[in-house]
Each structure stands twice: as C-alpha cells, then as structure tokens.
Amino acid sequence: MQAPSSLRQRLRAYAGLMRVDRPIGTLLLLWPTYWGLWLAAKGTPSLRLFLIFTVGTWLTRSAGCVINDYFDRDFDRQVARTCQRPLAAGLITPQEALRLFVVLCLLAATLLPFLNWLTIGLSAGAVLITITYPLFKRFTHLPQAYLGIAFSFGIPMAFAATLNQVPPLAWWLMLANACWVVAYDTAYAMADRPDDIQAGIKSTAILFGRFDRHTIAALQAVMLTLFIGIGVAQAMHWPYWIALAGAAVLAAYEQTLLGGDRDQAFRAFLHNNWIGLLLFWGIVAGLAPGGVSTVLPGAA
C-alpha cells in the first residue's frame, strides 16, 4: 500500500500507530497505577503525581504500541485483526516508527525531573521491559506473563513516588494485577489464536489450549483473593467490598463470553476495563472515612 501523501493522512497514520483511537490499553495501564497511587497515599494522592502518572502512562503505552508494531510488522500482516495497522499496511516506514518511539520516550523523560531517584530508577526498568516485550512471543508461550510485569510496573513506581520506598503492599498489589493481566491478555490472544498458530506466534492461549477458560478463571480467582487480603490488611471500608463482589460478578460474566467465538473472546478482553474501573472506585471510596469519597485526587 502506498504511503499517505498529505499531512493529515500521515498524522492519522501516526495516531493509529500509537492506538490513539483504541484507549483500552491506556485504561488497563492506568487503573492499576491509580490503585497504587491511592493506596500509597492512603486515599489522598497529590494532584501533581496524579497528572504526572496519567500523562506518563499515556506516553509509555503509546511508545509501547509503536515498538511492538515495529518488531511485529511481519507477523501483523498475517493476522486478520492487525493486518491494517499502519506499519503492516505500509502507511509508515520502520524508520519513521523508530523516530516516533524515540520522540515519545523523550517526552516521557521530561516528567522524570519531577520524581525522586527511586522512581526514576524504576522507570528505567519499565522502559527496558517495554522494549523487550514484543520479542518474547518468538521464543516462549508466556509473553502474557511478561506483559503482566510490564502492565504492573506503574504500581511500585506510584508507591516509590509517594513514599520514596516500595513496601510489601506494592508487591502484593503488583502480583494481583499481573494475574489479572495474564487472564485478560489470554482472552485477547484467544481471539487471534488461529492466525497466531499459522504465523508461528506463541501465546498462553495456544499453551493452555482447551483449558484456556479454566486457567483464566483460576487467575482471576487468585487476583480477587489477593485483593481480599489487601482489603483486610488495609481495613478498607464497605464500598471496597461491594466493588470486589462486583468485580467477581463481572469476571464470571466474562466466562460466558469466552465460550463463544473469536469476537466474543475479544469482547471479554475489552470488558476488563470495567473491572479495573470498579476496583479503582472501591479503593477510592473504601479508603475514605465512612466509605464516602470523590474520585478526584487531593491537593496534598
């Protein structure tokens, strides 16, 4: 396909490469980061950190999409759902994609002077994981596990930025989120499984095979169990427990979707945004005195 000639077409192609039109990935990164911010600050995160992590998460996710498509451009041409992505379709050259990746990383780096050294150090690890994640699907059936680490790194960074340390609570929350990521990204991979097998791409959906739904259910159960432990340890108020019960209902509903076709599996993946949002509300309201709070960060 011929590269776009007009500036408007080129900007649209860049936006598509960054998934500006598909915010689900950004949201699935933001929810656990917000969980960490609110828990670290005991319900009153600073507006400064809220804005830094919100902008930083969007830039990091955009950069991750660009480098992922750069490495996967040949694979993407063989998968029905991804063959029209800008790089796979020839709308953007690999060199342009790498330049865009560098620009996004530099923009994210402008946020670092406003953070402490521990958070800056953790951010270096986050960048390394973001760059290397796309390579894992070439030699292991567990790229979703590596993505679980990548999509959970905002949690220790949020605690580090708030407390200048990473307490055990952060690691337990990170483990819970990693289980959730593997669960929903396995559903995502189920939608692409036939194409992935043909293209030689490895995934947990292929590894788990006919036990995919059972494994997803088990991972969701581990996640919810860890959230129960976190709630007890933090003496959360009643809204937290309502949110946790609601998340369990939503997870059960996803099992009904996973029994359908490829489109239903993708719907199950998208549906996880509501679990993340519900748990965020539960943490915000559950930390407030009497269980009543606003979703806006404090000015502390």
Side-chain angles (χ1 to χ4, degrees), residues 10 30 38 44 62 72 92 94 99 107 124 136-138 149 157 159 171 204 232 235 265 291:
R10 186 164 294 279
L30 277 175
W38 258 259
T44 56
S62 298
D72 284 358
I92 291 177
R99 287 196 290 269
L107 288 174
F136 269 63
K137 67 188 71 173
R138 288 159 171 77
I149 299 173
M157 288 180 64
F159 275 87
W171 301 117
T204 49
V232 171

Side-chain angles (χ1 to χ4, degrees), residues 67-256:
I67 199 65
N68 180 81
D69 285 9
Y70 172 79
F71 284 119
D72 284 358
R73 59 191 184 277
D74 293 330
F75 285 138
D76 285 345
R77 296 187 184 103
Q78 305 175 59
V79 178
R81 189 180 51 79
T82 60
C83 64
Q84 294 303 314
R85 286 178 176 174
L87 261 175
L91 299 176
I92 291 177
T93 67
Q95 293 73 24
E96 288 176 311
L98 284 178
R99 287 196 290 269
L100 178 59
F101 173 74
V102 171
V103 168
L104 290 169
C105 288
L106 290 175
L107 288 174
T110 63
L111 302 172
L112 295 180
F114 302 98
L115 299 170
N116 57 42
W117 285 108
L118 177 57
T119 312
I120 292 172
L122 289 170
S123 71
V127 171
L128 178 62
I129 292 173
T130 298
I131 294 173
T132 56
Y133 159 70
L135 303 177
F136 269 63
K137 67 188 71 173
R138 288 159 171 77
F139 61 86
T140 176
H141 280 93
L142 296 171
Q144 281 71 26
Y146 198 66
L147 185 70
I149 299 173
F151 267 49
S152 302
F153 233 81
I155 293 172
M157 288 180 64
F159 275 87
T162 303
L163 304 174
N164 202 24
Q165 62 174 317
V166 185
L169 172 61
W171 301 117
W172 286 113
L173 186 63
M174 185 175 182
L175 177 60
N177 187 68
C179 290
W180 182 45
V181 174
V182 176
Y184 69 62
D185 204 54
T186 298
Y188 182 93
M190 287 169 66
D192 292 336
R193 182 160 46 196
D195 294 331
D196 286 349
I197 292 174
Q198 184 173 355
I201 301 173
K202 297 177 173 62
S203 72
T204 49
I206 297 172
L207 176 65
F208 299 148
R210 62 190 180 93
F211 298 106
D212 47 14
R213 291 176 62 194
H214 304 84
T215 307
I216 289 172
L219 288 166
Q220 290 173 327
V222 172
M223 173 216 184
L224 293 170
T225 300
L226 289 170
F227 266 91
I228 290 173
I230 290 170
V232 171
Q234 298 299 304
M236 302 295 277
H237 294 294
W238 59 268
Y240 178 86
W241 302 106
I242 291 177
L244 201 55
V249 172
L250 293 177
Y253 170 68
E254 288 177 9
Q255 286 292 311
T256 66

Side-chain angles (χ1 to χ4, degrees), residues 23-36 53-54 56-65 126 130 147-155 177 180-181 184 273 276:
I24 180 66
T26 302
L27 292 170
L28 291 174
L29 267 171
L30 277 175
W31 298 133
T33 303
Y34 288 165
W35 302 343
F53 275 90
T54 299
T57 296
W58 183 81
L59 289 170
T60 302
R61 190 258 175 163
S62 298
C65 290
T130 298
L147 185 70
I149 299 173
F151 267 49
S152 302
F153 233 81
I155 293 172
N177 187 68
W180 182 45
V181 174
Y184 69 62
N273 175 54

